[in-house]
Amino acid sequence: MFTVIDWIVLAAYLLFSLLVGLFVSRGNKNLKEYMFGGGAMPWVAVGISLIATSVSATTFLGAPADVYGDDMTFLMFQIGALLSIFVVGFIFIPRFRTAGINSAYELFERRFDSKTVRRLAAVFYCLHLLLRTGILLYAPSLVLAQILHVDLKVAIIVSAAVAIFYTWFGGIKAVIWTDVLQFCVFFGGGLLVLILIANSVGGFGEMAAMAGEAGKTRWWNPSMDISDARTLISAGFAYAILEIAIRGCDQQFVQRYLSCKDVKAANRSSVLSMVLGCVVSVLFYWVGAALFVYYKVAKAGLLPEGIGQNDVFPYFIVNGLPQGVTGLIVAAICAAAMSSLSGAINSLSNTSEHDFLGWKEEEGIGGLKRAKIWTVVWGVLGVFFALFAATQQGSLLKNALFFTGLFTGPLLGMFILAFFVKNLRPWMVIVAVLCGMASLVLIQGIPAFGVPALLGGIFSWPWMPFISMTTTILVAVLLKLIFSLVPQTAHK
């Protein structure tokens, strides 16, 4: 059970996070300091921040549950992550750093000479990130409410309030340095759980042998079946497109690249985040395998009748850990949730100020004041969407995956068009994006509204961003080709 000692540990962590955020972010004098840390943030801290923002509490809770119920084949996602690092490092980061931009989507206005295209991309990004943030805040709060025996709304609001406050006060400096703290707690908590379980079943070697015999350490599946997400072609190739979309098009990532001093430092932070992401995935997949050995093979503990795989880790946190350690692990869940929220609302604030309001550097302190207001507004909206997610009866994961493909695929397509296709008219880009989104509806339907897919069952979920991206690019190129022939036809 959650004891007084655990409450003290959790409260101390929340207070320490708040103090760190306030301390490191003193002296923000203008919007550039607030959003980019003066372009002088250490690349190591930025790299840790990138992965802290990416993994979220769903990794902490979801990865062990996935291996407990299946195996480690989703480790092949790291192949896609590795491929994405090369693409982002050679194509995206140098262009962002040399373009003199303050927002990823400012590039569209320059390339297509259209504020409409820029703002459309910003709208897509805001919708996607707001929906994602709501779910990433709701999912761990649901577990926290069960562990702490508090109301779900209280769990959402308390963890969100701390993140909103230090982000409002300190901007990107507070986000990055608290991310470093939160990653240490997050990673350390997972490592501690793995060590405790391994020691209770005879050591890591014995635990690994039992996990292997149970089939939990299987991670390689060279199948080319596109309908299965746990295959090399889906988890390795198709997932690479999703990683490129996130690492190359997400303002959270671009903002951190711009906070480094140069291209080399930005690329180092990107590579570090990929390496740490691989280490984190391995760690938490092994936690899942360890839990299976603990409860199902070694039978070192007993589970309540009918408990689902998603509830095994939370049950172990409450009933299988010593006093104080339980509080630390709950703090790790809070850390992951706060990291997801703080990075999101900071980048949304930047997008609002630059892409929607068109901030000019000569505005001085006015832009900083508005950005702080936007931070609070987006934080409150994130809480609202988390509370809204709590009312939904359908699969949150299925809805989240749908909206990820719906927005990130076309956004990636827009960047590729901006980089490599010349003389595209703005309306061509907009039509292409709408067609890209429509292609996904055909493949996947609209889960949130119960709209069935006309071509469902052919592609697994990692393919969704690939499909919407490819359709966007092909339609734009086709429209350019068709309308480039019109003047020639008219002259004949």
Side-chain angles (χ1 to χ4, degrees):
M1 61 180 295
F2 208 76
T3 65
V4 174
I5 295 176
D6 296 315
W7 277 109
I8 292 173
V9 171
L10 177 58
Y13 170 74
L14 293 175
L15 179 61
F16 188 61
S17 294
L18 190 59
L19 293 176
V20 167
L22 298 180
F23 178 78
V24 300
S25 54
R26 297 163 298 162
N28 284 322
K29 299 177 181 178
N30 53 52
L31 187 61
K32 283 205 168 186
E33 281 281 334
Y34 189 73
M35 290 299 179
F36 305 106
M41 298 300 295
W43 66 266
V44 174
V46 173
I48 296 173
S49 177
L50 285 171
I51 191 58
T53 296
S54 301
V55 292
S56 78
T58 56
T59 302
F60 193 100
L61 299 166
D66 182 64
V67 177
Y68 186 92
D70 209 307
D71 54 33
M72 297 186 186
T73 43
F74 277 152
L75 272 178
M76 288 188 293
F77 284 159
Q78 303 311 312
I79 299 173
L82 178 61
L83 294 174
S84 75
I85 288 298
F86 288 101
V87 175
V88 172
F90 283 106
I91 296 176
F92 285 80
I93 290 178
R95 285 174 167 83
F96 289 140
R97 291 288 317 190
T98 57
I101 57 175
N102 294 304
S103 163
Y105 316 114
E106 185 179 346
L107 204 65
F108 295 138
E109 182 177 352
R110 297 188 181 189
R111 184 65 183 82
F112 301 121
D113 193 25
S114 171
K115 288 186 178 180
T116 302
V117 174
R118 174 183 180 176
R119 287 172 178 164
L120 178 65
V123 168
F124 283 176
Y125 171 70
C126 290
L127 288 174
H128 164 246
L129 190 56
L130 194 57
L131 291 165
R132 180 177 182 269
T133 300
I135 292 173
L136 292 182
L137 190 57
Y138 161 71
S141 296
L142 185 62
V143 175
L144 291 173
Q146 295 172 349
I147 293 175
L148 302 176
H149 300 290
V150 298
D151 185 80
L152 174 61
K153 295 178 182 178
V154 173
I156 291 173
I157 292 171
V158 170
S159 58
V162 175
I164 291 171
F165 184 76
Y166 69 66
T167 307
W168 166 83
F169 181 84
I172 194 68
K173 291 179 183 177
V175 171
I176 288 176
W177 286 112
T178 52
D179 277 352
V180 172
L181 168 66
Q182 288 159 357
F183 178 81
C184 292
V185 174
F186 174 89
F187 185 82
L191 187 61
L192 182 58
V193 168
L194 183 60
I195 292 172
L196 290 173
I197 296 177
N199 288 340
S200 67
V201 296
F204 188 84
E206 184 69 19
M207 183 201 72
M210 289 188 282
E213 291 175 4
K216 295 299 170 182
T217 58
R218 175 178 176 264
W219 70 275
W220 179 254
N221 181 4
S223 170
M224 295 291 115
D225 183 4
I226 59 176
S227 65
D228 184 359
R230 295 177 179 275
T231 62
L232 178 60
I233 193 169
S234 295
F237 172 72
Y239 185 76
I241 302 301
L242 176 57
E243 279 283 317
I244 294 169
I246 293 172
R247 291 179 174 274
C249 307
D250 191 321
Q251 177 61 28
Q252 293 183 90
F253 279 75
V254 175
Q255 196 169 334
R256 285 165 174 77
Y257 300 149
L258 297 177
S259 71
C260 296
K261 67 177 182 178
D262 53 30
V263 172
K264 184 180 291 185
N267 267 316
R268 285 174 176 170
S269 71
S270 179
V271 172
L272 176 61
S273 71
M274 186 275 296
V275 173
L276 291 177
C278 183
V279 173
V280 166
S281 296
V282 171
L283 171 62
F284 283 97
Y285 280 149
W286 269 107
V287 169
L291 285 169
F292 187 87
V293 169
Y294 183 85
Y295 284 116
K296 296 296 186 180
V297 181
K299 299 188 184 301
L302 295 176
L303 288 172
E305 192 70 29
I307 191 171
Q309 68 184 62
N310 292 321
D311 298 319
V312 172
F313 193 17
Y315 179 83
F316 178 80
I317 291 172
V318 175
N319 299 281
L321 294 175
Q323 291 185 19
V325 177
T326 299
L328 179 64
I329 302 305
V330 172
I333 299 173
C334 285
M338 290 192 300
S339 177
S340 298
L341 180 63
S342 64
I345 61 178
N346 182 250
S347 64
L348 286 168
S349 173
N350 183 75
T351 298
S352 301
E353 191 60 29
H354 286 103
D355 295 311
F356 295 131
L357 298 182
W359 174 80
K360 304 295 182 185
E361 193 162 354
E362 56 269 20
E363 289 184 37
I365 197 68
L368 175 59
K369 291 180 178 178
R370 287 199 307 268
K372 288 194 170 189
I373 294 173
W374 277 115
T375 298
V376 177
V377 169
W378 285 115
V380 171
L381 286 174
V383 172
F384 171 79
F385 271 86
L387 296 173
F388 174 74
T391 67
Q392 301 303 294
Q393 300 298 319
S395 169
L396 289 175
L397 179 60
K398 184 178 290 186
N399 292 336
L401 292 174
F402 169 75
F403 286 112
T404 294
L406 188 69
F407 295 123
T408 57
L411 270 177
L412 178 56
M414 292 171 74
F415 274 105
I416 292 174
L417 292 171
F419 292 155
F420 300 112
V421 181
K422 297 180 179 180
N423 302 321
L424 274 176
R425 300 177 187 177
W427 70 266
M428 294 178 180
V429 178
I430 294 172
V431 170
V433 165
L434 295 176
C435 289
M437 297 173 75
S439 68
L440 200 62
V441 174
L442 288 174
I443 297 294
Q444 204 174 10
I446 307 178
F449 299 103
V451 177
L454 296 179
L455 302 174
I458 299 176
F459 296 93
S460 56
W461 65 264
W463 288 92
M464 299 306 139
F466 175 83
I467 293 168
S468 53
M469 175 206 70
T470 304
T471 304
T472 299
I473 295 171
L474 290 177
V475 170
V477 172
L478 184 61
L479 287 173
K480 179 191 173 184
L481 179 62
I482 291 173
F483 282 88
S484 67
L485 297 176
V486 171
Q488 299 177 17
T489 305
H491 285 301
K492 289 183 178 181

